[in-house]
Amino acid sequence: MKIPLLITRDIISKNKKRIFAKLKVHLSCRRPYFWDYITFLVDTGASKTCISQTDAEILEISYKSLKEVEPENRPIGVGGPVDAYYLRHITLRCKADNKLFSTLLKEVYVLSDTPKETMSLLGTDFIDDNGFTLYFSPKKDKAYFER
């Protein structure tokens, strides 16, 4: 099974560019209730999948209904530890081989007090839990998960 990823490029200057792999998914949850599409940035440096504050607002997730992540377990970003909340039992769906792939994310972090441009991160927990291998070849304009 292959899940295709979208490759995007940001040109920073004449000689510098950043290349990203992204995955558009449908997320749903019963408690708190939500369902909608968001796009994750594939981040092999993130051990845990995180939903950004901006995407949490799109999904209308209320922080009041979530338990705060303990200080010693908070995700660490470029600027240091980030405030986060636990969100459990989320269904993620996306296209794979022109079919629908569906999996249960046992637990993700919902980030708070982050800049608007912060993206949701699809971490290595997703890759490991689902037995995927990541193929990433920007020169060939190809990126996908496979198992």
Side-chain angles (χ1 to χ4, degrees):
M1 169 188 1
K2 279 187 187 178
I3 298 176
L5 303 174
L6 174 66
I7 293 179
T8 61
R9 293 168 171 81
D10 286 352
I11 298 173
I12 299 168
S13 67
K14 184 179 174 184
N15 298 321
K16 273 190 166 183
K17 63 182 170 185
R18 297 183 303 183
I19 303 170
F20 303 104
K22 298 178 182 177
L23 179 62
K24 184 175 182 177
V25 303
H26 180 268
L27 291 182
S28 61
C29 187
R30 288 188 176 178
R31 196 171 296 144
Y33 175 78
F34 64 81
W35 63 273
D36 211 336
Y37 290 92
I38 68 168
T39 299
F40 280 105
L41 173 68
V42 177
D43 186 351
T44 59
S47 59
K48 191 88 154 166
T49 295
C50 300
I51 297 174
S52 70
Q53 181 176 346
T54 302
D55 285 336
E57 290 169 5
I58 290 168
L59 296 169
E60 298 180 3
I61 297 172
S62 169
Y63 292 94
K64 293 176 187 174
S65 65
L66 305 177
K67 182 180 178 241
E68 192 168 2
V69 174
E70 303 80 13
E72 64 273 12
N73 292 328
R74 285 188 182 145
I76 298 176
V78 174
V82 178
D83 290 338
Y85 294 80
Y86 292 110
L87 181 60
R88 295 184 170 99
H89 309 293
I90 304 99
T91 302
L92 178 148
R93 295 177 185 89
C94 62
K95 286 185 180 180
D97 296 329
N98 294 319
K99 297 177 188 169
L100 187 64
F101 169 75
S102 180
T103 189
L104 180 68
L105 303 176
K106 296 173 195 157
E107 179 179 271
V108 301
Y109 290 153
V110 180
L111 307 178
S112 68
D113 297 323
T114 55
K116 276 264 190 236
E117 61 274 5
T118 302
M119 290 195 66
S120 294
L121 305 176
L122 195 61
T124 56
D125 57 336
F126 172 81
I127 297 168
D128 290 342
D129 292 350
N130 290 287
F132 286 122
T133 299
L134 171 62
Y135 177 83
F136 183 67
S137 179
K139 288 191 187 278
K140 293 181 180 179
D141 207 34
K142 284 189 178 183
Y144 53 86
F145 290 122
E146 185 174 44
R147 70 171 174 192

